[in-house]
């Protein structure tokens, strides 16, 4: 053919051809650009219409040591000390007790959302700038049911049946500050006025404030308190500022900056309050314990006084000697200390185990005092009986009096400590919101990420499409299979071509419109027609050694364009002055009649079954007297059997001498065997492959199918070649038109 075959080094399966990948992207650059532009536009629209999210933040300090409770020994030195565990305090701050207090105070279990116009309503309402407090934007275009800015609804109480929990209710504003609440089906539940409690059946509503145009509607939802608390626990942020600093930062994000600030402030206030209550709980418990002991000790004092009085009366006022008085004072001091330590032991039994260091230290002190007490008892046993009895009674009375006095003093001290407890937590910075800088959406970042995402997804889609449809795009790949490429026909975008539609497999189906669509006649300067002229020249030499002048045009699968090649090749041959006949042998789905704008009736199938004479089936193309055609005829039930009948060979033997070339358009070889049957009678067979559609394995399988039937394919026609950044374009055909000079 006079063309130098390009040297191609086949790549291995694991080898990545970067040049091909870049070429694929360049070829689909407009798809990538368009997709990226769509993502960019969508992100810009989103950041403009999305409601800004504001962050409220507060800071609290947690001291590392609790204050000592008056009246008690400082046991911290015995138990050890350390820094506050931040995780513990954060867990307390986000506990249900603390968060639930904020939910109750702010009525967060009642969700109120103004109804706005779809998509742009919220954007317009947020940009309403009232000239005075309480001003409401007028309805836009008379749409009174929507809010356009400045509306407010505050509900302090909403009680609904369990079936209406988490159900969207609708509150419509009426004239004069009145309203009506309806369920999701539009049934009225209750009517009321702002500032008054309204009740209807099981529904109770207390609207504290209402500011909106008549006809405006709000969405109202009563949530379960536990669900709201759990959601707020998840959304509330708390973190320690610096390691072991004891400084906690509390944050919360919301589209309403006022609500965000109120939530954070109520949470930190509830946290401080519960911390104070927790700190005073120990003093309160100690105070209660002391008060519980006072009646018992007082009774002991009274019994000791009565016993002393009875003894003195019976012993006629015996006096204590100086020796006995010294022992009494020492024993009273020891016994008083023991009683006080026993009280402390009873208190520690509720807080510590017996193996705790503080508890063991206390028991050691009690043991030492008990030993001293036993020594005094031995000395007292040597005294006279009267002195021993008098000393015992006097000791019991003094010990009881001192213990009772100590308990009274301790009760007063604990009461003062409980009332003045301030806890170890304080608010450093109250809640505040910077309304000038929303935290979300981060406009520049959203636009950048969306644009990059669009580019990546479009690039990935291009590569995935390429992998899922690895059709041949370079004629050199076909030549590597040992099959010469006779012509590469570029894809034509001429309006002279018939309209086509694709099915789910991507196969082109030509629509019949009754018009002739021969590109070689309507657009003779088209690049595809130039390629067909080159094919005409190549065939002239290729068929010199053929057994006859019959040429079979076939394809591996439907949609490769074999009918386009057959009809237009016949047209360019006829234009060269040769007599040519094109026969539509695809009696199942032949489309030659659609390209010629005629009916498929009275064609090849009718001749084969004997219903029509051969000459009656042959017609000339208008304006092309050298080109004749035979359409497919009615669809027979047995096309393959008709082609195998001797009558078909007789028809070919009759037609051959009449024309310089007979072109037969056959069905796809991989679909049916008709192409191989016809090819057995033809002198030459060409296989039409489509750019980007047929795969190498598919072509190899088609060649094997022909070889099994004894048909040798001379070469291929590479059809519908598109311009690519890499590879061939129409085998080097360029547009070359005449012009004025």
């Amino acid at each position: 053919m006079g063309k130098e075959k390009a040297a191609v080094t086949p790549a291995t399966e694991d080898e990545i051809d970067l040049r091909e990948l870049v070429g694929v992207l360049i070829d689909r650059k407009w798809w990538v650009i368009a997709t990226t532009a769509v993502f960019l536009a969508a992100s810009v629209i989103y950041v403009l219409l999305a409601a800004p999210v504001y962050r409220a933040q507060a800071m609290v300090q947690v001291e590392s040591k609790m204050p000592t409770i008056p009246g008690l020994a400082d046991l911290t030195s015995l138990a050890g000390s350390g820094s506050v565990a931040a995780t513990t305090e954060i867990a307390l701050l986000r506990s249900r007790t603390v968060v639930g207090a904020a939910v109750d105070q702010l009525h967060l279990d009642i969700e109120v959302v103004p109804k706005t116009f779809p998509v742009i309503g919220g954007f317009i309402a947020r940009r309403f700038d009232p000239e005075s407090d309480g001003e409401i934007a007028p309805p836009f275009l008379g749409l009174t049911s929507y809010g356009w800015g400045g509306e407010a609804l505050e509900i302090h109480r909403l009680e609904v049946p369990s079936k209406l929990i988490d159900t969207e209710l609708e509150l419509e504003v009426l004239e004069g500050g009145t309203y009506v609440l309806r369920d999701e089906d539009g049934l009225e539940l209750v009517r009321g006025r702002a500032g008054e409690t309204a009740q209807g059946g099981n529904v109770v509503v207390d609207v504290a404030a209402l500011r909106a145009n008549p006809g405006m509607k709000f969405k109202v939802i009563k949530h379960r308190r536990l669900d709201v608390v759990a959601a707020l626990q998840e959304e509330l942020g708390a973190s320690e500022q610096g390691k072991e600093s004891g400084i906690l930062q509390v944050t919360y994000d919301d589209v309403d900056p006022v609500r965000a600030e109120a939530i954070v402030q109520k949470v930190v206030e509830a946290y401080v309050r519960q911390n104070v209550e927790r700190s005073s709980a120990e003093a309160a418990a100690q105070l209660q314990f002391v008060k519980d002991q006072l009646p018992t000790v007082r009774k002991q004092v009274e019994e000791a006084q009565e016993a002393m009085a009875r003894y003195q009366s019976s012993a006629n006022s015996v006096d204590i000697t100086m020796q006995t008085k010294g022992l009494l004072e020492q024993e009273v001091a020891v016994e008083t200390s023991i009683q006080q330590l026993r009280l402390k032991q009873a208190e520690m039994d509720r807080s510590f185990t017996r193996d705790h260091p503080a508890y063991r230290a206390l028991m050691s002190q009690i043991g030492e005092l008990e030993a001293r007490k036993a020594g005094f008892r031995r000395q007292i046993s040597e005294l006279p009986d009267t002195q021993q009895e008098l000393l015992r009674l006097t000791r019991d009375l003094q010990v009881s009096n001192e213990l009772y006095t100590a308990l009274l003093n301790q009760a007063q001290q604990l009461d003062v400590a409980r009332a003045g407890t301030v806890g170890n937590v304080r608010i450093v910075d109250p809640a505040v919101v910077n309304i000038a800088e929303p935290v979300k959406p981060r406009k520049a970042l959203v636009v950048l990420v969306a644009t990059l995402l669009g580019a990546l997804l479009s690039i990935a889609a291009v590569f995935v499409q390429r992998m899922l449809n690895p059709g041949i795009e370079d004629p050199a790949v076909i030549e590597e299979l040992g099959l010469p490429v006779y012509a590469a026909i570029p894809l034509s975008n001429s309006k002279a071509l018939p309209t086509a539609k694709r099915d789910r497999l991507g196969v082109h189906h030509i629509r019949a419109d009754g018009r002739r669509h021969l590109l070689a006649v309507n657009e003779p300067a088209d690049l595809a027609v130039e390629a067909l002229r080159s094919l005409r020249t190549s065939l002239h030499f290729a068929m010199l050694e053929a057994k006859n002048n019959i040429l079979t045009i076939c394809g591996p699968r439907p949609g490769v364009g074999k009918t386009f090649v057959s009809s237009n090749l016949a047209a360019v041959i006829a234009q060269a002055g040769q007599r040519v006949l094109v026969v539509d042998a695809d009696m199942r789905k032949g489309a030659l009649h659609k390209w010629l704008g005629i009916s498929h009736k009275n064609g090849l199938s009718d001749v084969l079954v004997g219903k029509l004479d051969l000459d009656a089936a042959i017609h000339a193309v208008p304006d092309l007297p050298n080109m004749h055609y035979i359409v497919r005829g009615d669809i027979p039930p047995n096309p393959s059997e008709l082609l195998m009948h001797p009558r078909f060979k007789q028809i070919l033997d009759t037609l051959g001498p009449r024309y310089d070339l007979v072109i037969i358009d056959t069905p796809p070889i991989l679909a049916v065997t008709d192409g191989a049957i016809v090819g057995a009678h033809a002198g030459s067979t060409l296989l039409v492959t489509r750019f980007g559609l047929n795969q190498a394995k598919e072509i190899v399988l088609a060649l094997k199918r022909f070889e099994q039937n004894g048909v040798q394919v001379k070469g291929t026609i590479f059809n519908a070649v598109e311009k690519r950044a890499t590879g061939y374009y129409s085998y080097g055909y360029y547009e070359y038109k005449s012009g004025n000079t």
Side-chain angles (χ1 to χ4, degrees):
M1 294 174 58
K3 291 184 173 68
E4 183 180 353
K5 186 176 179 179
V8 179
T9 303
T12 62
E13 293 183 359
D14 297 332
E15 192 175 312
I16 299 177
D17 191 346
L18 294 179
R19 181 171 176 269
E20 181 182 357
L21 295 180
V22 173
V24 170
L25 291 180
I26 295 176
D27 295 333
R28 301 299 300 277
K29 60 181 179 296
W30 294 116
W31 157 257
V32 174
I33 293 174
T35 304
T36 305
V38 169
F39 273 76
L40 173 62
S43 64
V44 172
I45 294 174
Y46 168 76
V47 298
L48 290 178
L49 298 181
V53 177
Y54 301 92
R55 173 166 295 174
Q57 55 185 4
M59 189 173 293
V60 297
Q61 180 186 12
V62 183
E63 297 179 355
S64 60
K65 188 177 182 180
M66 295 287 292
T68 303
I69 298 176
L72 294 178
D74 187 2
L75 300 178
T76 307
S77 59
L78 298 174
S81 62
S83 61
V84 176
T87 54
T88 302
E89 295 301 326
I90 290 175
L92 291 173
L93 189 147
R94 298 172 62 182
S95 62
R96 286 199 305 271
T97 301
V98 173
V99 174
V103 170
D104 296 336
Q105 293 178 25
L106 299 176
H107 313 288
L108 298 180
D109 56 339
I110 305 174
E111 180 184 357
V112 177
V113 180
K115 185 179 180 181
T116 58
F117 192 79
V119 182
I120 63 172
F123 175 81
I124 297 175
R126 287 191 299 272
R127 278 154 180 76
F128 172 68
D129 187 13
E131 297 180 356
S132 60
D133 293 340
E135 182 182 359
I136 307 171
F140 182 71
L141 297 178
L143 300 174
T144 57
S145 62
Y146 299 106
W148 301 99
E151 297 83 10
L153 173 62
E154 185 177 347
I155 302 178
H156 284 180
R157 181 185 177 190
L158 177 60
E159 297 179 3
V160 297
S162 58
K163 65 179 181 179
L164 294 180
I165 294 292
D166 291 328
T167 301
E168 182 176 328
L169 308 178
E170 183 182 78
L171 186 145
E172 181 179 355
V173 181
L174 305 177
E175 297 287 347
T178 59
Y179 62 88
V180 58
L181 184 66
R182 301 186 178 91
D183 62 10
E184 58 184 347
D185 297 325
L187 299 178
E188 181 177 328
L189 297 176
V190 64
R191 285 178 178 262
R193 182 182 300 274
E196 301 176 358
T197 301
Q199 183 172 0
N202 296 329
V203 179
V204 180
V205 184
D206 183 5
V207 176
L210 177 60
R211 186 173 68 248
N213 293 313
M216 164 72 182
K217 297 179 180 179
F218 291 86
K219 180 180 72 173
V220 179
I221 303 177
K222 174 68 174 181
H223 296 290
R224 290 182 175 83
R225 180 181 181 276
L226 185 59
D227 295 339
V228 178
V229 172
L232 186 55
Q233 285 177 306
E234 293 293 329
E235 298 170 0
L236 190 69
S239 60
E240 186 178 20
Q241 302 297 103
K243 187 177 181 181
E244 298 183 358
S245 64
I247 303 295
L248 302 181
Q249 184 174 11
V250 185
T251 60
Y252 180 74
D253 298 342
D254 199 291
V255 295
D256 186 352
V258 177
R259 181 171 57 189
E261 181 177 335
I263 289 175
V264 172
Q265 186 64 29
K266 293 299 182 182
V267 167
V268 296
E269 289 177 356
Y271 173 57
V272 172
R273 185 167 54 253
Q274 69 86 28
N275 179 266
V276 173
E277 295 173 354
R278 183 180 57 174
S279 301
S280 63
E282 185 176 354
Q286 293 287 345
L287 177 61
Q288 185 63 39
F289 175 77
V290 171
K291 287 182 178 181
D292 292 342
Q293 297 299 321
L294 280 174
T296 303
V297 176
R298 183 176 180 178
K299 184 178 181 180
Q300 292 177 359
V301 172
E302 293 173 351
E303 291 176 352
Q305 289 176 346
E306 293 176 359
M308 175 61 74
R310 287 195 302 270
Y311 181 77
Q312 287 180 342
S313 176
S314 61
N316 296 321
S317 302
V318 177
D319 295 329
I320 299 177
T321 63
M322 293 297 296
Q323 180 183 5
T324 304
K325 188 175 181 179
L327 290 174
L328 175 63
E329 292 176 352
Q330 296 181 50
E331 188 176 9
V332 168
V334 171
E335 184 65 24
T336 302
S337 298
I338 291 175
Q339 292 298 328
Q340 290 179 348
L341 291 177
R342 289 295 183 188
L343 289 175
K344 194 174 297 184
Q345 177 190 358
E347 174 63 21
M348 292 183 68
D349 281 337
R350 299 185 303 175
S351 304
F352 301 97
T353 64
R354 302 209 169 185
D355 293 330
H356 194 276
Y359 189 90
R360 295 173 63 182
L362 180 64
M363 295 304 297
S364 177
Q365 295 179 19
I366 294 176
E368 293 176 357
L369 294 177
E370 290 286 355
R372 293 180 60 186
K373 178 181 176 181
F376 293 144
R377 290 289 177 89
R378 287 192 298 269
Q379 295 182 31
I380 293 172
S381 62
E382 297 176 356
L383 297 176
D385 293 340
T386 56
Q387 290 293 317
Q388 290 185 29
E389 183 65 17
L390 183 61
L391 185 146
R392 183 183 66 80
L393 294 174
T394 304
R395 179 200 64 198
D396 291 343
L397 180 60
Q398 291 184 5
V399 168
S400 299
N401 280 327
E402 290 185 9
L403 183 58
Y404 184 69
T405 302
L407 286 176
L408 286 176
N409 293 334
Q410 188 173 355
Q412 293 177 355
Q413 292 176 355
L414 289 172
D415 194 20
V416 172
R418 179 184 58 82
T421 301
V422 295
N424 67 324
V425 174
R426 67 185 182 93
I427 300 176
V428 178
D429 292 328
V432 66
V433 177
N434 185 3
I435 60 175
E437 295 184 4
V439 294
K440 297 176 184 177
R442 300 175 62 180
K443 297 182 179 180
L445 181 61
V446 169
V447 172
L448 177 61
V449 171
T451 304
L452 292 177
L453 180 63
L456 291 176
L457 289 179
S458 59
I459 292 173
V462 170
F463 287 146
V464 169
Q465 184 183 20
R466 176 60 179 164
M467 288 187 295
L468 295 179
N469 185 27
I472 297 175
E473 295 186 356
D474 192 340
V477 178
I478 300 177
E479 293 180 345
E480 289 177 359
L481 302 176
L483 198 63
V485 177
Y486 274 62
I489 304 175
L491 179 66
S492 177
N493 295 320
S494 174
K495 296 181 179 179
L497 295 175
T499 56
K501 63 177 180 179
R502 291 187 179 184
D503 60 13
R504 59 185 182 86
L505 299 177
V507 177
H508 293 258
H509 296 281
I510 305 301
R511 295 179 179 177
D513 57 4
R515 297 168 54 192
R516 189 176 63 186
H517 298 285
L518 288 178
L519 188 64
V521 176
N522 299 330
E523 296 285 347
D526 193 273
L527 290 178
V529 178
E530 292 294 340
L532 289 171
R533 293 191 180 101
S534 176
L535 176 61
R536 177 187 63 188
T537 304
S538 301
L539 285 176
H540 174 73
F541 296 100
M543 298 188 65
L544 292 177
E545 300 179 357
K547 65 181 181 180
N548 55 40
N549 62 342
I550 299 175
L551 173 64
T552 300
I553 303 294
C554 189
R557 65 159 80 175
V560 297
K562 55 183 180 55
T563 305
F564 164 79
V565 173
S566 302
S567 58
N568 285 277
L569 177 60
V572 296
I573 293 176
Q575 289 172 345
Q578 294 180 290
R579 287 177 55 83
V580 61
L581 172 68
V582 58
V583 181
D584 191 354
D586 187 354
M587 290 179 285
R588 291 176 172 86
K589 296 183 178 181
L592 178 63
H593 62 284
K594 297 180 181 179
W595 287 88
L596 297 177
I598 58 176
S599 172
H600 68 277
K601 301 290 185 178
N602 299 325
L604 179 62
S605 62
D606 302 297
V607 176
L608 292 176
V609 298
K611 292 172 54 178
L612 185 68
D613 186 68
L614 176 61
D615 292 332
I618 301 175
H619 304 280
V621 177
D623 302 329
L624 282 176
N626 291 329
M627 178 178 174
H628 295 76
Y629 62 88
I630 298 177
V631 295
R632 62 176 169 88
D634 293 328
I635 301 177
N638 53 348
S640 299
E641 287 74 9
L642 290 179
L643 294 175
M644 295 177 64
H645 195 277
R647 186 180 294 110
F648 180 66
K649 184 178 184 307
Q650 295 173 2
I651 292 174
L652 295 182
D653 292 339
T654 303
L655 295 175
R658 294 185 184 181
Y659 297 92
D660 296 313
L661 181 65
V662 177
I663 300 176
I664 303 178
D665 182 11
T666 63
I669 185 63
L670 297 182
V672 292
T673 61
D674 297 7
I677 297 173
V678 176
H681 301 290
S684 300
T685 299
L686 293 181
L687 185 69
V688 179
T689 58
R690 190 179 182 92
F691 178 90
L693 179 64
N694 300 115
Q695 304 176 23
K697 294 181 179 179
E698 190 176 9
I699 297 175
V700 172
L701 182 59
L703 294 178
K704 289 183 178 179
R705 189 71 58 85
F706 276 113
E707 292 176 358
Q708 291 171 356
N709 291 272
V711 179
Q712 181 180 4
V713 179
K714 282 187 171 293
T716 62
I717 301 172
F718 200 38
N719 188 33
V721 178
E722 301 178 24
K723 189 174 183 179
R724 289 289 187 259
T726 58
Y728 288 75
Y729 179 77
S730 303
Y731 244 156
Y733 293 109
Y734 300 94
E735 186 174 7
Y736 186 73
K737 293 183 179 180
S738 61
N740 297 327
T741 57

